[in-house]
Amino acid sequence: MSDDEREEKELDLTSPDVVTKYKSAAEIVNKALQLIISECKPKVKVVEICEKGDSFIREQTGNMYKNVKKKIERGVAFPTCISINNTVCHFSPLASDETVLEEGDILKIDLACHIDGFIAAVAHTHVLQEGPVTGRAADVIAAANTAAEVALRLVRPGKKNKDVTDAIQKVAAAYDCKIVEGVLSHQMKQFVIDANKVVLSVSNPDTRVDDAEFEENEVYAIDIVASTGEGKPKLLDEKQTTIYKRAVDRSYHLKMKASRFIYSEITQNFPIMPFSARALEEKRARLGLVECMNHELLQPYPVLHEKAGDYVAHIKFTVLLMPNGSDRITTHSLQELQPTKTVDDPEIKAWLALGIKTKKKGGGKKKKGKKGAEGEAQAEPMDATNGASTQEQE
């Protein structure tokens, strides 16, 4: 389908079928996240867990819409990543990688799946230990999670992207942490994981995005990364980069046979969604990807790092801006946290006390609607600061 045709046929949340596909993708991605967490144990190879996550998504999505006449694309929308300790994001190693998990590691698990191009994305932070998470590790997870809770309440029709940027930085500061620069929250559309409307994590002169207002029936992946360090991650080793996305607006006649072979494979199997080089034949991919990158046929997702010893936490969720309020469809409960800081700022408390759902008029129907929307665990995430649902504060 051409971009013009897709634009012409663009579907949004006004279609019940679209909402169903988003929620079906979310159900799969939430289960995949649960599986991945259960597989995270000391001395287990990271690549093995990443492969299990991707395989689970392929298997589960493959079982859906099998009996419809029109072919429906479905599968991995972002490869499973497990970024450890001061590694910020995008670590999804090749089959030959020997990296293993260790007791006490802070893991950032990041993945997404899609059904018919409707994407559900999630990221979660998990510490490889028994018992509550304490100290600065608890601070940074609480900072990311509380910022995510605030963002959930501010990404609503009528609010601006700048409102969210300012708020999440204030939340992080309350925990003596920093929001990591360069992380963007994106609007998502059918087959588009990074649409035009963007929420900047950190305002600075080097990174600017257009002002935007949130509107009903839009979908967003809200992406929060917090750090106990400076929040200015660096690329340490280009060879760690394994995730790419085809730049559909670029063309170039590749010179090397290996490059043409790999690019043909990418075009056929991963025309739009990000993919892992692990899915390609490794030796040929090493050669071919270089020329593709040199001519900007691929967009890389680099593996970034804070300084050794810094703690990093990542929370990402998908939210549907429905007529009856915001519906957070991807999430996972946190471990028990015992942060060293508490949030006393009245403005942050006021943000957390905001409702997620729009209160409906009418007697009996109101109760039914509220239960249906708010009775789901996904719609009411936990507040990291006290372990209680922030909705209870209303």
Side-chain angles (χ1 to χ4, degrees), residues 41-55:
K41 296 168 186 171
K43 305 305 177 187
V44 176
K45 282 187 180 181
V46 173
V47 65
E48 291 176 1
I49 307 171
C50 291
E51 285 176 344
K52 284 182 180 176
D54 291 349
S55 295

Side-chain angles (χ1 to χ4, degrees), residues 10-23:
E10 189 173 293
L11 296 167
D12 64 15
L13 301 180
T14 55
S15 162
D17 184 46
V18 168
V19 176
T20 298
K21 286 171 180 173
Y22 272 118
K23 292 198 171 187

Side-chain angles (χ1 to χ4, degrees), residues 251-255 260 291 297:
S251 62
Y252 175 78
H253 183 68
L254 294 161
K255 304 293 188 288
R260 292 196 298 273
E291 190 181 4
L297 295 178

Side-chain angles (χ1 to χ4, degrees), residues 259-371:
S259 305
R260 292 196 298 273
F261 179 87
I262 286 297
Y263 192 66
S264 172
E265 191 177 350
I266 291 165
T267 303
Q268 185 176 340
N269 297 324
F270 313 103
I272 296 172
M273 298 293 180
F275 65 93
S276 167
R278 195 170 55 245
L280 308 171
E281 199 275 304
E282 192 167 330
K283 284 186 180 177
R284 198 175 280 188
R286 284 183 190 280
L287 287 169
L289 288 172
V290 173
E291 190 181 4
C292 292
M293 285 292 300
N294 287 344
H295 296 283
E296 299 179 351
L297 295 178
L298 300 175
Q299 172 192 325
Y301 288 82
V303 178
L304 302 176
H305 301 264
E306 281 278 65
K307 289 178 181 172
D310 290 340
Y311 296 118
V312 179
H314 188 187
I315 302 287
K316 177 161 55 179
F317 62 88
T318 302
V319 60
L320 314 182
L321 303 190
M322 302 294 290
N324 67 334
S326 299
D327 193 352
R328 175 180 178 165
I329 59 171
T330 60
T331 190
H332 192 285
S333 57
L334 294 169
Q335 294 159 287
E336 183 186 345
L337 302 177
Q338 295 178 359
T340 68
K341 314 285 181 185
T342 54
V343 175
D344 298 316
D345 186 284
E347 189 173 25
I348 296 174
K349 286 187 172 182
W351 286 329
L352 290 169
L354 290 171
I356 298 169
K357 297 292 177 186
T358 305
K359 291 181 180 176
K360 295 181 179 178
K361 294 177 183 176
K365 286 185 180 177
K366 177 181 173 183
K367 283 188 178 179
K368 185 178 178 184
K370 186 175 178 70
K371 184 178 179 184

Side-chain angles (χ1 to χ4, degrees), residues 84-109:
I84 306 168
N85 298 331
N86 63 310
T87 305
V88 174
C89 54
H90 304 152
F91 187 65
S92 187
L94 299 175
S96 57
D97 191 277
E98 297 293 326
T99 304
V100 297
L101 302 180
E102 301 290 355
E103 184 75 25
D105 281 346
I106 299 182
L107 312 177
K108 280 77 65 182
I109 303 163

